[in-house]
Amino acid sequence: MKHIFFATSAYISSCLNRIAAPCRYLLVAVTILFLTSEGVLAGIRISPARIETTVTPENHTFPLTIENSGSNPLRVEVSAVQLTQKLDGSPLFDESKEGYEYGDRLVKFSLTDFIMMPNTKQTVIADVQIPAYSSRGAYAAVFFTASSVMGEVQHVSSVIRVTTIMLLKFGEQSQPQGELTNVELIQSEPGQPIRILSTFLNQGDVHIAPRGTVMISDAAGQEHSRVPIQSANTLPGYSRQ
């Protein structure tokens, strides 16, 4: 496991006199350590809901199992799009033409359109295509879109979509790179708890989950408390708070 440490510090004023006088300045030191999860909806279950792995010539096919535990037959369509993320870390699905083209290049499926009877399971094999030209990670969302089927004629009463997230690395990767681009102390009003908000930018080629500790001290250097930073995946080229 490779580890890289980043440290940054900043003097934050007394929140414009909203913090008690003895704490005219706070020193915030943040240390970052780089570390190199089944979905259910309305009777539809997909497992796994997340694939996070290194793809190699010996490890590039992955079974995805969908279960129809409802009382009606379903038509299921399988597709993939490029995955990005918001500043808060929640996923964004690129459903543009380019996003679907990205998914088509990255992964091929053993089945893309099939009928499932009630109380049955179906396994679809996802075959990840290993790029010969890039060491970057690849990020996709696999959609299983299910609609009701009754008799020989399809009657769409509802459309349900469940998703598997794919976080993939390919062979040897470059060293993790990143930096803290912002650290803020936020207090809604005097006497209320102070929130510490940090923004981390992943400057590397693959996703990483930074973790660390915020140390709060006064202007004299006396430490007052330490607050852990929760580890969470950040995609390459994106920032996360």
Side-chain angles (χ1 to χ4, degrees), residues 124-145:
V124 176
I125 302 300
D127 186 352
V128 175
Q129 309 301 292
I130 302 176
Y133 54 86
S134 175
S135 64
R136 290 181 62 87
Y139 306 94
V142 179
F143 295 150
F144 290 80
T145 305

Side-chain angles (χ1 to χ4, degrees), residues 92-193:
L92 276 177
F93 307 136
D94 183 357
E95 297 188 62
S96 67
K97 177 184 177 182
E98 292 77 13
Y100 277 99
E101 289 175 345
Y102 177 96
D104 289 342
R105 291 193 302 269
L106 178 63
V107 59
K108 307 298 182 184
F109 300 104
S110 59
L111 294 170
T112 57
D113 194 338
F114 53 91
I115 302 296
M116 291 190 68
M117 301 306 292
N119 298 309
T120 61
K121 296 181 180 181
Q122 177 67 59
T123 296
V124 176
I125 302 300
D127 186 352
V128 175
Q129 309 301 292
I130 302 176
Y133 54 86
S134 175
S135 64
R136 290 181 62 87
Y139 306 94
V142 179
F143 295 150
F144 290 80
T145 305
S147 55
S148 299
V149 176
M150 297 183 182
E152 296 183 357
V153 180
Q154 296 185 19
H155 300 277
V156 180
S157 57
S158 63
V159 175
I160 301 168
R161 187 168 77 179
V162 290
T163 306
T164 292
I165 299 298
M166 305 186 80
L167 308 176
L168 306 174
K169 299 178 182 179
F170 296 99
E172 292 297 323
Q173 304 294 329
S174 63
Q175 287 237 358
Q177 299 179 56
E179 67 173 345
L180 286 168
T181 57
N182 193 39
V183 179
E184 296 180 64
L185 296 182
I186 302 173
Q187 187 181 43
S188 59
E189 58 183 49
Q192 294 299 310

